Amino acid sequence: MKLKTLESINLKDKTILYRAPYDIDVKEAGGILEVVDDMRIKATLPTLEYLLKESCKIVILTYVGRPDGVVVENLRTTPHAEKLSELLNYPVLKADDCIGGEVDKKISNMQPQDILMLENVRFHNEEMVDDDSFAEKLCLGKDLIVFDGFSQAHRIHASTTGILRHLPAVAGRYFEGEIKTLSHLLENPQRPFTVIIGGMKISDKVDAVLNLLQIADTILVGGAVANVFLKAQGKVLGSSFIEDVFVDKVKREKKDWVEAAKEILKKAQLSGKKIIIPSDLMISDGVLTKIITTEEIPAGWAAFDIGPDTQKTFSDIINKSKTVFTNGPMGKFEDEKFRAGSLAILDAIKELKKVGGETIIAGGDTIDLVRMGGNLEDYSHISLAGGATSEFLAGKVLPVLKALEE
């Protein structure tokens, strides 16, 4: 996949609508709102530095949270502008809206190399329904779009697909890097290629698993996702969390994820692929903990981590791999008692990187876990987009890509 990039268009002295991936939560510290995690802001610095070098006027557009069309004070983009200014070591102006006369006036008064952060676009209901008139207003006074919002690339909104109907657009450095790495996984990974899937829910990963099953050599399954596969094999799981049935109220669909797991296991068997599920688990009744095999978890007990035998099996497979993609922890890592399995897997992945393996980490919980057990620099690539990454790896076409492909 070839994208239109910063080098493919004349940006000199242009007014840029910069679609940023700044959907970042905030927290209060000493009476001041601050962004919880600045990774996505840091990821955009190379693009913004390039635009400044080209003497562009940069107008930043993003949404934050789900304010449902009303102004919510703690979902303003002010903390994001302040953090960006700090990281870029450069002044960032702030608007109190994303459209309207006052905003248009601020933009017309901008000088080359000025940066203006617009207010949360989700303060307007028109954003969520991809209202074309609203999208056109967002584009007023700009020459072209630099799209770096990979985290929102699977959304059909006015600030994603909408704006791309009204102005020429190119991909930013961050967007380009995500697409390049994830495309390589799907098209030409170094083999053996191992995929590790964990976390709480299977519902947001099943399509990716089905697609990666055709590409990967081995899929390792842990966390509560493994519970669904164990139940599909007829195992008794006590009080363990199992996302077995999901009701999509919007589509009015009921999905049985245990049946989906059975189908995945059947397809794996027919294709000769390996899906490896835990052989032992750490379980707890809320007071005591113990290691057992996966044959039967007693009533009142629940699985919270993979056991030592599974840790060794998974680590041995990772050690023999040349590419590893992981999304989701192996257990309830927030509790130190149930963190060993997840950290053991990360240790194996770090060792693989040291000997030249390609290692890709995805998912917010996985990134939080990495920070507990080391540094983000210990891995080849950190994918910062949850839903967009899952949909791309599922083989789905992200709606914004049509406008950004060369």
Side-chain angles (χ1 to χ4, degrees):
M1 179 180 298
K2 196 160 178 66
L3 298 174
K4 289 179 281 188
T5 63
L6 297 173
E7 288 78 16
S8 63
I9 196 166
N10 178 21
L11 296 167
K12 195 72 176 174
D13 299 323
K14 295 291 194 294
T15 300
I16 304 298
L17 181 59
Y18 180 68
R19 183 48 171 98
Y22 297 163
D23 183 16
I24 309 166
D25 292 336
V26 298
K27 62 182 178 182
E28 189 173 327
I32 300 172
L33 289 175
E34 300 176 345
V35 295
V36 172
D37 188 336
D38 61 13
M39 280 188 68
R40 286 186 183 177
I41 297 178
K42 286 178 177 176
T44 65
L45 297 183
T47 304
L48 293 170
E49 287 165 351
Y50 184 93
L51 296 177
L52 287 172
K53 191 170 67 174
E54 293 293 305
S55 296
C56 296
K57 302 172 186 177
I58 306 166
V59 182
I60 300 177
L61 177 65
T62 191
Y63 62 65
V64 180
R66 296 181 180 273
D68 298 324
V70 297
V71 175
V72 178
E73 289 301 321
N74 64 356
L75 292 180
R76 288 192 180 275
T77 57
T78 306
H80 305 72
E82 291 171 349
K83 178 54 72 171
L84 173 60
S85 179
E86 175 192 324
L87 293 172
L88 196 58
N89 193 27
Y90 199 87
V92 176
L93 307 171
K94 174 68 172 51
D96 293 328
D97 205 339
C98 57
I99 60 167
E102 286 300 313
V103 174
D104 294 342
K105 186 176 178 181
K106 280 182 181 287
I107 292 171
S108 66
N109 289 334
M110 289 176 71
Q111 300 299 310
Q113 297 185 317
D114 277 356
I115 302 176
L116 175 67
M117 176 82 75
L118 299 180
E119 191 50 272
N120 189 346
V121 71
R122 279 188 173 173
F123 286 173
H124 295 262
N125 275 318
E126 297 93 332
E127 157 68 359
M128 300 293 285
V129 295
D130 192 12
D131 182 272
D132 197 59
S133 175
F134 180 65
E136 187 174 16
K137 290 174 185 175
L138 291 171
C139 294
L140 284 175
K142 293 88 174 177
D143 297 312
L144 58 94
I145 296 163
V146 173
F147 203 104
D148 244 357
F150 181 74
S151 313
Q152 294 78 37
H154 59 312
R155 304 292 189 193
I156 300 175
H157 290 164
S159 71
T160 55
T161 49
I163 58 175
L164 294 171
R165 293 193 294 269
H166 294 280
L167 285 174
V170 298
R173 293 269 193 263
Y174 162 62
F175 193 105
E176 184 185 2
E178 289 273 24
I179 290 292
K180 182 178 179 181
T181 298
L182 297 176
S183 295
H184 181 65
L185 278 187
L186 295 179
E187 295 164 7
N188 190 31
Q190 294 184 77
R191 298 188 181 278
F193 173 27
T194 299
V195 171
I196 307 165
I197 300 294
M200 286 289 289
K201 297 183 350 184
I202 191 175
S203 54
D204 55 1
K205 299 182 178 85
V206 68
D207 289 341
V209 172
L210 280 168
N211 194 45
L212 290 169
L213 184 61
Q214 305 173 61
I215 302 161
D217 299 291
T218 307
I219 295 180
L220 311 178
V221 184
V225 174
N227 295 343
V228 181
F229 283 89
L230 289 166
K231 186 172 180 179
Q233 291 181 329
K235 303 295 173 62
V236 177
L237 295 166
S239 302
S240 302
F241 172 79
I242 303 168
E243 188 193 23
D244 49 2
V245 176
F246 170 75
V247 179
D248 189 327
K249 293 179 181 178
V250 177
K251 296 181 180 178
R252 299 179 183 274
E253 292 177 351
K254 183 178 179 181
K255 298 181 180 179
D256 188 325
W257 297 120
V258 175
E259 288 302 314
K262 287 180 181 177
E263 188 64 25
I264 291 170
L265 290 170
K266 184 178 178 182
K267 285 184 177 180
Q269 187 175 23
L270 290 172
S271 64
K273 301 282 184 172
K274 292 180 181 177
I275 294 184
I276 300 180
I277 300 162
S279 58
D280 63 338
L281 298 164
M282 175 174 277
I283 64 171
S284 175
D285 65 354
V287 180
L288 303 173
T289 61
K290 61 182 178 180
I291 305 293
I292 67 163
T293 65
T294 53
E295 289 307 313
E296 182 174 343
I297 297 176
W301 290 71
F304 288 104
D305 196 7
I306 57 173
D309 289 347
T310 302
Q311 292 172 31
K312 185 176 186 312
T313 298
F314 284 13
S315 296
D316 287 346
I317 292 168
I318 292 166
N319 292 338
K320 294 172 185 172
S321 303
K322 293 214 171 145
T323 304
V324 168
F325 170 81
T326 182
N327 185 350
M330 297 291 100
K332 189 180 178 183
F333 72 98
E334 300 90 344
D335 188 328
E336 192 174 0
K337 296 193 300 290
F338 310 117
R339 199 177 294 165
S342 298
L343 292 181
I345 300 311
L346 286 184
D347 284 344
I349 296 172
K350 283 191 285 189
E351 290 303 311
L352 179 64
K353 164 79 163 24
K354 290 178 183 177
V355 294
E358 186 174 8
T359 57
I360 297 96
I361 305 291
D365 284 345
T366 321
I367 292 169
D368 289 344
L369 175 65
V370 167
R371 286 180 169 136
M372 291 178 182
N375 301 306
L376 297 171
E377 293 75 22
D378 293 333
Y379 308 89
S380 306
H381 181 78
I382 306 291
S383 181
L384 303 178
T389 298
S390 293
E391 293 208 9
F392 190 85
L393 292 177
K396 299 177 183 179
V397 177
L398 303 182
V400 305
L401 274 179
K402 293 177 184 177
L404 297 175
E405 284 184 284
E406 197 171 71

